[in-house]
Structures are given as structure tokens and as C-alpha cells.
């Protein structure tokens, strides 16, 4: 750690003291006690889940379950990968919905425990990983416990669990293990560090939240630069270069180990809104979309005063809404500052730099001078949205710095090495918190932008009076005044709370500096303060009121009377059809997808062609639903709260106030057209597809010319759908002339293949987002099969790489065990 002469002086000063009982226990027993404590705190924190039959059921879990319904049904019936989700957004690849890992790795073992003790199965992994990582840095058990508590119980963890962001939670649980493997590899040479890094990186990426991995890589980059600078100064550049090469090999092996699922997902990304369009060229997100949920400058205060901006229910900050704050506590933040400025090791300095950069990145569009160039030029920076997510990794970095800070205070108490910057940091932090506690946040307006105008409109509509009515304005003002007072009370209460914990931590440090506390007592006390502080705030979000009785998720997906009507019609008609549900925004819920094929859904990586349909084709320029576009998508019913022009009301749901409107002339899933119209651009295609005279059953719009005669009026064309499943569509046709068959399925060229009587044929993009094939005269069988090579190759590559990596680890460990068994042998080897 590079502590120098002051470390030795303090060691000499304290070596004559009577050892505290903790220091008389062997290190293995100390580790056992600490790890047991971490496990018990996890079980206790999630006690309602483990012992009361409760579970957390966030909206994202419900949406996922609804979106995955068609995939689950297919896989249960066939035992094969579905790969295509048919029930949302007219159909889309299932890679980002339900795509099971085909090659078992270390995370598979943890996944088995998930069925028994979720979420402790992974939360314990997080606590233990952070403990081991902090111990690798500090070599102090209680400092490591403090880091584990600081990261594990940061408020963001229960917030994302309640929201149902399970993949993000799992990725955060593996994050400390990834950093541990990296730090071990950058300091140790040989094959084993490279293999362990490969295992950790693969496990982290298989959590299926690459955004968190990307953010952790920034921390790794900062640590790598710090280690490089240290190597140059110490003259160990050659060893550093070898270790870097070893890590690169490990990274390459990890990339091969995750070929499934990432090969298919990477291929898919280029066709989504996170790519650049139907053609499949890679790209990034739009700035405004990516920068939604940027953390506000003043909102950073929630790191130390949890509900300074209203928590979640009465949130008044700059973001659209929030599930809760990224609260890390004032104690942890102060100790993190101590660790960054007091400890001179490359690790502490690198983590300090990483912490500052992460805070700046979290500001997103609120710090455009930094984040715009990063967004435009830094690799993959534009691939992720919600900048406040950076704060999840900040919590880990701050926790590690806090462990370093408390260890530094133990090694060099303030009475022996007082630094002005630490004193200023503590006084400033306590002063700001005390000021807010006393004044109740003087200067804060406690009102969300546009909030009063929205309240005025709501009151006016509820009472059927003009918004300008003085009574409406007064009622709105009274309501906003009540909100302001409630928000001020929350800030003031949490400010006093933080002040108390800061004072208690200051007293503890003072007592230790005065020789009144044993060496091991200070980090133990500080760990307890951090745990109590974070536990209390975390319980606000992971309370029993946010839980439901443990049951199948699908029981919590509401089914309304209009759903039952549509399902019954599906059974009676026996033909496939789709439904457009306007119970909300078409992109706000996947609930209808659980019951029938829907044009709506909920997903963060929709296909670009479908997003273009929603933005440019679903509604005509004059604001009406585009019935021709709905007809060509095999849409039989529209669920809406008001009449839809051109449809017939067939059912009224009194409970929801929604009605079912039938499109009588909806086109079948596959049909012949008489002619084609070639356009030169997507924009021209949208114009044609939204025009009043567009007839999808007669004319197909293409952006590429094809050799196809216009069908004569007496031309015969018969189409019969023989099979329809996520991966296979079979159609029998009969036509008296060469014609274009339009399949009302979303166009996705990376995996869908078509044959006519077993002979491969081209699939054309028709009507901007559908598929079409040219069918020759006569009777034929057309088949569409979804068989992406990225899936097959990914499975083979991942299997081979996994066997190689785990096999080599096993061989190395066996060889080491054999060598240790030999008399007089020393620990050598790879």
C-alpha cells in the first residue's frame, strides 16, 4: 500500500498496547466471523421474503413475464429455443427477453440457488465479493466489512429490486468479483490470473446488463492507469506489461465464453433503436434519448441526505420520476474522501479519480461540456441511457475508498498525521448538513417544473370548470403548498438523521485518536453506524407494503373482461390476428402480450423498423389511426376508450371503461398483392403508407425494384396458413401468375430464411416493415424458418471456450495440490 515511514512509526507506537481480543483470534476465524455476519445481515434484511412468504414484484418483472409468454409456451411445448417473441410489437427477436444460457458456467451455480433463497442468493455474493475485494486492498477484516455494508445496503439496491431490475441487480452483485479478478491479475503474472479474470468477466457479462459492465470497465481503466504509473516509477514496467497481456488474454477468452448469448445480441443491436436502422449498420442512441434521467447538480445531495428531493412518491427533482435516491450516507462519503486524499497508494488515487469522473458522467446533459464529447467520441459511451446509473458504480467505488479511509485512520490516527483537507471535508460536510437541518432547505422551491400547471388542469377537468377559475388556481396553490411542506419536512428529517450519524462517527474517530478505543473497535463501530444508517433508509423502499404474497408472477398480471372477450374470439375464429391496445401508450406496458398477439409492448431495444412504424405509420398526418396500416398487420381488434373511425364496437368493458373495436376487413397473416410500387426512400414509403388511398391488399410498397408483372383482374391466388410458430411458418399457395406474397410478420433479415418447395429465395422488405417473397405460378409450399447462425455459432464457441478455461483452471489447481503434497515442495507453477 506504500505507507512509508509514518506507517512504521505508528506501528512502533502501538505495538506495546495489549492486543484487543479480536486481534488474538486467528485470521481464518476472523474471516469466518465476518462472512457469517454478512450472510446473517442479508437473511435479516430480506426476512419478509425468506420467512413470511412475501416477494418483490416490480412492474418490470410483470412486463417481462407478459412479453416472454409466447417464448415460454413454445419452449415448454418443444424444449427448443424460441428465439422469436411473437406476442409484442408484432414480433421481435427474443434475445433480450428470454434467451437462456446454453453453456453452464459459475453463474449457473448461483442461479440454482436463486430458486431457493432469492434475492439473498446473489446479495450474499455481492457482500462476500466486496469484502474480499476490500480485504485484498486493505488487509483489514472490519474495514472490509464496512465496505461490504456500504455497497451492499446502498439504497439503490432495494430500489432496483422493487422496480424489478433484476439483471442490473445481478450485474452489480458480480461487479466486486470482476474488480477483484482484475486487481489480482494486474499484480500477479501467470496463466491462472488470466483464467480467473476470464471467468469473472464472463459471469458479469452473462448477467445480461452490459451497461453495468461498461461502467465497471471505467473503474478498471482508472486502476490500470494507476498501476502503470506505479510500475514506471518503481521500474517494474516489464512485469506490468506481462500482466496486462495476461489480462488481455483473459478478456479474449471471456469474449469467447459469452459468444452465446452476445453474438446474437450484438447482431440484433444493429437493427434496433440502439443501432441506426433497418439496414443493420451499428450506431448509438440519440443524445436526448440517452440523456434522460441525468442526475441534477443539486440532486447530488441525495448521496448524503436520502429524501432531500422527495424520495420516490413526492419526487420533485429534474428527472421525469425516480424509484429512489442513490444514498451512500454521509459517513461513507467522508471516509471515501479520507481514503482518496490520505492514502498515497496507486489504488486509492485511482479510485479517487474514478469516483470524480463517475459523478461527472452521472450529470449527463446537465454537464454537456464533458459528456457531449464523451458521447460523440468515446467508444460505446453513446450505447447506454440513464446517466444516473453511473451512481450505482460510484457506490462501489465509494465503499472501497471508505474501507481504505478507515484503514488509513487506524494506521495513522489524526493525532499523528492530521491533514487540513480531511478536517475541512468533515467540517464542510457537517456544516452543510446542519444548515439544511436547521433551515429546512432554505432556498429550495420544492416544486417540480410544470407541476402547478398540471395540478390546475387536473382540478379543472375534475370539476368541469375553466383552468382560469380563481377557485381552481387557489385549490392548486393550496395543494402545491402542502407538497412543498411535506418535501421540506422530508429533507429536514433526513438532514438531522445524517447529522447525527456524522457526529457519532466523528466522536468515534476522536475517541480512537485519544487512545480510548482499541484498534479493531473503530472500524467495527463505523461498520455498525453505516449498516444502521443504510438499513433504515433501505427499508423505506423494501418494505412489506412493496411486497406481495409469493405466487406465480402471472397471477399478478391483470386480465380484464375485454381480454377474455378477445381470447374467446381467438378460440372461436381459429385464425391468428393481432390486437392494438390503447389502454395506455403502445410502448408503456406488455400486459396484453400475455394473452394475445399485440402491437404494443414494453422493451428498451425495439426494432428500428417497428419504432418507425409507431412514430410515422400508426397515426396519419391528420391525427387518425392509420387503418390500412393496421389492416396489413393482421390487426383484428383495437382496444380504446373512445370510438375508432372505420371500426365497429363489439364489446364494452364497464370496469375499465375500455371498448373493443373490430376492424372488419383486417387482412390475413399472409396474402397476395396485385402490384408493387417502388419508392426511393423510407420517407417516401411513409407518405404512401399513410395516404388515404393506400390499399395494402392490392399494392405493396418496396424500396428495391423486383421483376414482377401486374396481376390481371382474373388472376387466381389462394393462400392457406399451414403452420405458425415462433421459429417456423408454413404457407400453401396457389396462383395463376407470378405474384408477390406478403407475410404480415416484422422484417428481420438476420436469421429468417425463406424457401419455396425447399429452394431458398430472397425475403424482401415490404410495406416498410413486413416480409415478402416472389411466388411463381402454380401450387407451392413456402416456409419461413428462423435459424440465425449467430445463435448456433455462439453455442459452439461458448462451449469450447468454457471447457478450455475451466479445464485449465482445474488442471492448474490439481497440479498445485500435487506439488504441495510433495515433501519439501514450495508453491510454484503457473
Amino acid at each position: 500500500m506504500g505507507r512509508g515511514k509514518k506507517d512504521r512509526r505508528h506501528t512502533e507506537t502501538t505495538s506495546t498496547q495489549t492486543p484487543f481480543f479480536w486481534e488474538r483470534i486467528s485470521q481464518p476465524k476472523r474471516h469466518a466471523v465476518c462472512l457469517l455476519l454478512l450472510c446473517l445481515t442479508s437473511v435479516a434484511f430480506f426476512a419478509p421474503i425468506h420467512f413470511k412468504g412475501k416477494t418483490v414484484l416490480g412492474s418490470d418483472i410483470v412486463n417481462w413475464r407478459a412479453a416472454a409468454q409466447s417464448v415460454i409456451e413454445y419452449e415448454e411445448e418443444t424444449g427448443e429455443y424460441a428465439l422469436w417473441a411473437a406476442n409484442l410489437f408484432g414480433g421481435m427477436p427474443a434475445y433480450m427477453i428470454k434467451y437462456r444460457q446454453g453453456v453452464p458456467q459459475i453463474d449457473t451455480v448461483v442461479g440454482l440457488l436463486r430458486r431457493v433463497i432469492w434475492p439473498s442468493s446473489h446479495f450474499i455474493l455481492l457482500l462476500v465479493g466486496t469484502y474480499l475485494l476490500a480485504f485484498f486492498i486493505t488487509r483489514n477484516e472490519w474495514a472490509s466489512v464496512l465496505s461490504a455494508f456500504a455497497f451492499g445496503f446502498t439504497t439503490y439496491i432495494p430500489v432496483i429490486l422493487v422496480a424489478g431490475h433484476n439483471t442490473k441487480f445481478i450485474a452489480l452483485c458480480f461487479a466486486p468479483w470482476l474488480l477483484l479478478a482484475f486487481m489480482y491479475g494486474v499484480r500477479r503474472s501467470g496463466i491462472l490470473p488470466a483464467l480467473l479474470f476470464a471467468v469473472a468477466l464472463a459471469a458479469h457479462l452473462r448477467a445480461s446488463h452490459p451497461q453495468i459492465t461498461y461502467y465497471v470497465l471505467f473503474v478498471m481503466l482508472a486502476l490500470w492507469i494507476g498501476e502503470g504509473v506505479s510500475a514506471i516509477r518503481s521500474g517494474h514496467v516489464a512485469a506490468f506489461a506481462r500482466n496486462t497481456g495476461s489480462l488481455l488474454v483473459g478478456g479474449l477468452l471471456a469474449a469467447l465464453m459469452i459468444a452465446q448469448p452476445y453474438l446474437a445480441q450484438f447482431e440484433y443491436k444493429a437493427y434496433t433503436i440502439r443501432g441506426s436502422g433497418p439496414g443493420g449498420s451499428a450506431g448509438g442512441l440519440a443524445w436526448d434519448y440517452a440523456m434522460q434521467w441525468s442526475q441534477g447538480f443539486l440532486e447530488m445531495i441525495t448521496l448524503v441526505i436520502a429524501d432531500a428531493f422527495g424520495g420516490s412518491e413526492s419526487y420533485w427533482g429534474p428527472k421525469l420520476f425516480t424509484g429512489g435516491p442513490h444514498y451512500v450516507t454521509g459517513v461513507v462519503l467522508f471516509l471515501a474522501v479520507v481514503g482518496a486524499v490520505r492514502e498515497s497508494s496507486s489504488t486509492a488515487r485511482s479510485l479517487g479519480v474514478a469516483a470524480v469522473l463517475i459523478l461527472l458522467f452521472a450529470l449527463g446533459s446537465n454537464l454537456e461540456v464533458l459528456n457531449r464529447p464523451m458521447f460523440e467520441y468515446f467508444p460505446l459511451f453513446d450505447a447506454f441511457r440513464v446517466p444516473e446509473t453511473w451512481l450505482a458504480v460510484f457506490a462501489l467505488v465509494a465503499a472501497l475508498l471508505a474501507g481504505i479511509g478507515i484503514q488509513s485512520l487506524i494506521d495513522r490516527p489524526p493525532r499523528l498525521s492530521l491533514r487540513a483537507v480531511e478536517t475541512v471535508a468533515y467540517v464542510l460536510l457537517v456544516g452543510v448538513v446542519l444548515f439544511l437541518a436547521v433551515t429546512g432547505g432554505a432556498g429550495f422551491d420544492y416544486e417540480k417544473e410544470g407541476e402547478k400547471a398540471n395540478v390546475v388542469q387536473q382540478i379543472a377537468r375534475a370539476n368541469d370548470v375553466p383552468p382560469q377559475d380563481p377557485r381552481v388556481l387557489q385549490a392548486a396553490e393550496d395543494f402545491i403548498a402542502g407538497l412543498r411542506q411535506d418535501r421540506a419536512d422530508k429533507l429536514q428529517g433526513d438532514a438531522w438523521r445524517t447529522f447525527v450519524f456524522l457526529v457519532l462517527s466523528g466522536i468515534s474517530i476522536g475517541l480512537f485518536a485519544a487512545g480510548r478505543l482499541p484498534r479493531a473497535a473503530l472500524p467495527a463501530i463505523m461498520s455498525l453506524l453505516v449498516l444502521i444508517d443504510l438499513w433504515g433508509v433501505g427499508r423505506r423502499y423494501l418494505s412489506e407494503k412493496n411486497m406481495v404474497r409469493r405466487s406465480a408472477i402471472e397471477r399478478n398480471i391483470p386480465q380484464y373482461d375485454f381480454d377474455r372477450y378477445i381470447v374467446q374470439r381467438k378460440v372461436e375464429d381459429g385464425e391468428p390476428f393481432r390486437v392494438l391496445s390503447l389502454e395506455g401508450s403502445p410502448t408503456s406496458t406488455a400486459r396484453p402480450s400475455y394473452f394475445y398477439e399485440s402491437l404494443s409492448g414494453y422493451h428498451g431495444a425495439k426494432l428500428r423498423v417497428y419504432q418507425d412504424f409507431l412514430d410515422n405509420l400508426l397515426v396519419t398526418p391528420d391525427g387518425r389511426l392509420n387503418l390500412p396500416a393496421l389492416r396489413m398487420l393482421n390487426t383484428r381488434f383495437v382496444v380504446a376508450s373512445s370510438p375508432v373511425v372505420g371500426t365497429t364496437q363489439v364489446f364494452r368493458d364497464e370496469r375499465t371503461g375500455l371498448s373493443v373495436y373490430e376492424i372488419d376487413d383486417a387482412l390475413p397473416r399472409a396474402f397476395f398483392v396485385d402490384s408493387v410500387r417502388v419508392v426511393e426512400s423510407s420517407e417516401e414509403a411513409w407518405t404512401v403508407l399513410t395516404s388515404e388511398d393506400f390499399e395494402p391488399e392490392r399494392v405493396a410498397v418496396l424500396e428495391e425494384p423486383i421483376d414482377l408483372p401486374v396481376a390481371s383482374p382474373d388472376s387466381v391466388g389462394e393462400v392457406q396458413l399451414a403452420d405458425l410458430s415462433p421459429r417456423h411458418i408454413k404457407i400453401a399457395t396457389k396462383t395463376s401468375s407470378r405474384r408477390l406474397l406478403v407475410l404480415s410478420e416484422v422484417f428481420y433479415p438476420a436469421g429468417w430464411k425463406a424457401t419455396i418447395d425447399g429452394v431458398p429465395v430472397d425475403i424482401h422488405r415490404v410495406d416498410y416493415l413486413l416480409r415478402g417473397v416472389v411466388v411463381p405460378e402454380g401450387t407451392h409450399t413456402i416456409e419461413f424458418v428462423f435459424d440465425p447462425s449467430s445463435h448456433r455459432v455462439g453455442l459452439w464457441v461458448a462451449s469450447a471456450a468454457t471447457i478450455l478455461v475451466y479445464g485449465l483452471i482445474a488442471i492448474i489447481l490439481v497440479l498445485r495440490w500435487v506439488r504441495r503434497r510433495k515433501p519439501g515442495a514450495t508453491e510454484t507453477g503457473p
Side-chain angles (χ1 to χ4, degrees):
M1 297 295 293
R3 296 188 177 106
K5 295 181 179 179
K6 290 185 178 181
D7 295 47
R8 292 192 292 273
R9 183 180 67 179
H10 181 57
T11 301
E12 294 168 1
T13 303
T14 59
S15 60
T16 57
Q17 296 178 359
T18 302
F20 190 47
F21 83 93
W22 178 258
E23 297 168 340
R24 298 196 296 269
I25 303 174
S26 66
Q27 190 174 75
K29 291 182 180 178
R30 294 202 297 265
H31 283 315
V33 170
C34 291
L35 294 176
L36 178 62
L37 174 63
L38 296 177
C39 294
L40 291 176
T41 54
S42 174
V43 173
F45 190 68
F46 296 109
I49 296 176
H50 296 319
F51 304 116
K52 295 185 178 181
K54 297 291 187 71
T55 190
V56 177
L57 192 66
S59 60
D60 275 19
I61 297 177
V62 174
N63 275 315
W64 166 82
R65 183 60 183 82
Q69 176 63 11
S70 63
V71 178
I72 293 172
E73 287 179 347
Y74 179 83
E75 293 185 350
E76 287 179 349
E77 291 174 3
T78 66
E80 299 177 349
Y81 287 91
L83 301 182
W84 188 264
N87 278 21
L88 76 164
F89 296 134
M92 61 183 289
Y95 306 138
M96 308 296 288
I97 299 172
K98 187 179 186 299
Y99 186 28
R100 67 179 187 270
Q101 306 284 359
V103 183
Q105 294 179 17
I106 189 67
D107 57 303
T108 308
V109 178
V110 184
L112 294 175
L113 296 175
R114 177 177 180 172
R115 304 175 183 178
V116 182
I117 55 169
W118 171 265
S120 283
S121 56
H122 288 75
F123 190 66
I124 291 174
L125 184 78
L126 179 151
L127 294 176
V128 172
T130 308
Y131 173 86
L132 295 177
L133 173 59
F135 186 80
F136 184 85
I137 298 171
T138 66
R139 299 298 172 181
N140 182 287
E141 295 87 4
W142 279 110
S144 304
V145 169
L146 186 149
S147 293
F149 284 161
F151 179 48
F153 289 94
T154 182
T155 308
Y156 190 62
I157 297 296
V159 165
I160 59 177
L161 280 172
V162 169
H165 299 171
N166 289 347
T167 57
K168 185 183 294 182
F169 168 69
I170 294 172
L172 289 172
C173 291
F174 277 104
W177 293 92
L178 177 56
L179 283 179
L180 177 60
F182 172 80
M183 294 193 67
Y184 178 72
V186 83
R187 294 181 180 180
R188 295 286 296 271
S189 60
I191 299 174
L192 185 60
L195 297 175
L196 293 177
F197 180 67
V199 168
L201 180 56
H204 196 273
L205 284 164
R206 280 161 56 101
S208 296
H209 206 292
Q211 182 172 6
I212 298 298
T213 307
Y214 183 76
Y215 293 169
V216 175
L217 288 176
F218 258 90
V219 181
M220 289 163 51
L221 177 61
L223 290 168
W224 179 80
I225 293 174
E227 291 290 331
V229 172
S230 179
I232 293 172
R233 290 177 176 175
S234 63
H236 296 133
V237 176
F240 173 73
R242 286 195 302 272
N243 295 350
T244 298
S246 177
L247 287 172
L248 289 175
V249 171
L252 176 61
L253 290 172
L256 297 175
M257 292 168 69
I258 59 158
Q260 195 271 336
Y262 277 91
L263 196 60
Q265 290 177 349
F266 181 77
E267 178 182 64
Y268 169 61
K269 172 185 175 294
Y271 295 90
T272 70
I273 57 174
R274 297 172 185 255
S276 64
S281 55
L285 300 175
W287 166 263
D288 291 338
Y289 178 73
M291 291 296 118
Q292 290 179 357
W293 281 275
S294 293
Q295 187 80 351
F297 275 101
L298 284 178
E299 198 177 5
M300 285 294 186
I301 200 173
T302 57
L303 293 171
V304 293
I305 301 177
D307 282 359
F309 274 73
S312 59
E313 295 180 359
S314 58
Y315 173 73
W316 58 277
K319 298 192 286 282
L320 295 177
F321 60 86
T322 186
H326 290 263
Y327 180 60
V328 300
T329 80
V331 175
V332 169
L333 196 62
F334 167 67
L335 291 176
V337 172
V338 171
V341 303
R342 188 182 179 87
E343 181 57 60
S344 60
S345 70
S346 62
T347 301
R349 296 293 168 84
S350 299
L351 289 174
V353 171
V356 173
L357 285 175
I358 288 171
L359 289 177
L360 298 179
F361 293 154
L363 293 169
S365 59
N366 296 314
L367 189 63
E368 190 169 349
V369 66
L370 169 67
N371 290 313
R372 173 70 80 165
M374 290 293 294
F375 185 84
E376 296 290 345
Y377 302 111
F378 199 87
L380 296 179
F381 201 91
D382 63 346
F384 306 105
R385 59 191 292 263
V386 188
E388 72 156 349
T389 307
W390 280 99
L391 296 178
V393 179
F394 172 80
L396 173 57
V397 175
L400 295 174
L401 283 170
I404 295 173
I406 196 67
Q407 178 62 25
S408 178
L409 291 175
I410 294 172
D411 286 347
R412 301 190 302 277
R415 60 177 177 152
L416 298 179
S417 178
L418 184 63
R419 295 192 180 188
V421 66
E422 298 159 12
T423 303
V424 170
Y426 182 78
V427 172
L428 183 62
L429 183 59
V430 172
V432 169
V433 171
L434 181 60
F435 173 79
L436 293 173
V438 172
T439 64
F444 286 12
D445 60 10
Y446 295 108
E447 184 177 338
K448 194 170 181 63
E449 184 178 355
E451 188 172 39
K452 183 183 293 186
N454 290 334
V455 172
V456 167
Q457 293 296 329
Q458 292 174 11
I459 294 175
R461 283 196 300 267
N463 295 276
D464 196 22
V465 295
Q468 299 79 15
D469 191 307
R471 294 169 299 175
V472 172
L473 297 176
Q474 184 60 50
E477 182 59 41
D478 293 342
F479 180 80
I480 293 296
L483 280 181
R484 288 198 194 102
Q485 186 59 52
D486 177 65
R487 291 162 176 169
D489 291 344
K490 283 189 173 184
L491 183 147
Q492 194 168 26
D494 273 355
W496 279 117
R497 191 176 185 281
T498 297
F499 175 76
V500 169
F501 280 102
L502 283 171
V503 169
L504 290 175
S505 67
I507 292 173
S508 301
I509 294 172
L511 290 174
F512 174 75
R516 301 294 183 88
L517 287 178
R519 177 183 173 87
L522 178 62
I525 291 173
M526 299 294 272
S527 297
L528 182 61
L529 290 175
V530 169
L531 177 63
I532 294 173
D533 191 355
L534 288 172
W535 187 297
V537 176
R539 274 295 186 193
R540 300 175 187 174
Y541 299 93
L542 196 74
S543 62
E544 291 195 44
K545 72 176 183 179
N546 292 328
M547 301 180 186
V548 297
R549 298 298 302 177
R550 187 179 296 124
S551 61
I553 297 175
E554 50 265 33
R555 295 180 186 174
N556 293 279
I557 301 175
Q559 184 179 26
Y560 303 115
D561 288 342
F562 66 82
D563 295 314
R564 298 184 182 91
Y565 172 82
I566 294 172
V567 171
Q568 182 60 35
R569 284 292 303 270
K570 181 179 179 180
V571 173
E572 293 173 354
D573 295 356
E575 295 292 333
F577 59 76
R578 295 193 179 95
V579 178
L580 173 63
S581 178
L582 298 179
E583 57 193 79
S585 164
T587 61
S588 64
T589 178
R591 187 203 65 81
S593 302
Y594 184 80
F595 304 103
Y596 35 76
E597 291 185 71
S598 174
L599 294 185
S600 59
Y602 180 82
H603 201 276
K606 296 184 290 297
L607 286 169
R608 168 57 66 186
V609 291
Y610 198 80
Q611 184 64 56
D612 288 341
F613 165 77
L614 295 175
D615 295 339
N616 303 289
L617 299 178
L618 180 60
V619 178
T620 61
D622 59 358
R624 294 179 292 105
L625 277 178
N626 186 1
L627 283 188
L630 293 179
R631 292 175 56 234
M632 76 183 191
L633 273 166
N634 186 218
T635 310
R636 179 73 60 82
F637 300 109
V638 177
V639 177
S641 58
S642 57
V644 177
V645 177
T647 66
T648 304
Q649 182 179 13
V650 293
F651 185 82
R652 168 74 177 175
D653 188 335
E654 297 297 337
R655 175 187 171 191
T656 63
L658 296 170
S659 295
V660 179
Y661 298 91
E662 184 170 6
I663 301 176
D664 299 317
D665 54 352
L667 294 173
R669 190 59 56 95
F671 54 92
F672 281 123
V673 292
D674 299 331
S675 62
V676 299
R677 176 174 176 178
V678 179
V679 296
E680 295 182 355
S681 66
S682 297
E683 290 74 14
E684 186 180 350
W686 300 339
T687 300
V688 174
L689 294 169
T690 54
S691 62
E692 293 183 0
D693 59 350
F694 173 60
E695 296 179 287
E697 67 272 34
R698 297 186 180 279
V699 180
V701 179
L702 291 88
E703 294 181 36
E704 57 179 349
I706 59 174
D707 182 17
L708 191 71
V710 177
S712 62
D714 58 349
S715 178
V716 176
E718 298 178 4
V719 179
Q720 181 177 358
L721 189 64
D723 184 31
L724 178 65
S725 68
R727 294 190 64 176
H728 181 248
I729 301 171
K730 186 176 181 180
I731 305 168
T733 67
K734 182 178 180 180
T735 176
S736 59
S737 62
R738 189 166 180 265
R739 301 177 71 178
L740 179 68
L741 176 74
V742 176
L743 177 66
S744 183
E745 293 284 344
V746 173
F747 179 79
Y748 182 70
W752 278 105
K753 301 175 177 63
T755 61
I756 297 179
D757 300 330
V759 179
V761 295
D762 292 334
I763 300 177
H764 303 278
R765 184 156 63 98
V766 177
D767 295 337
Y768 190 74
L769 78 159
L770 302 182
R771 306 175 208 160
V773 294
V774 177
V775 180
E777 177 185 352
T779 301
H780 302 282
T781 299
I782 296 94
E783 293 186 84
F784 292 84
V785 177
F786 192 49
D787 185 26
S789 58
S790 57
H791 167 67
R792 289 183 281 105
V793 173
L795 279 172
W796 279 102
V797 173
S799 298
T802 300
I803 293 172
L804 174 65
V805 169
Y806 282 88
L808 286 175
I809 290 175
I811 291 172
I812 291 172
L813 294 180
V814 169
L815 288 176
R816 287 191 172 187
W817 179 77
V818 170
R819 289 169 183 168
R820 289 177 182 174
R821 298 270 297 176
K822 294 180 179 179
T826 58
E827 186 177 347
T828 60

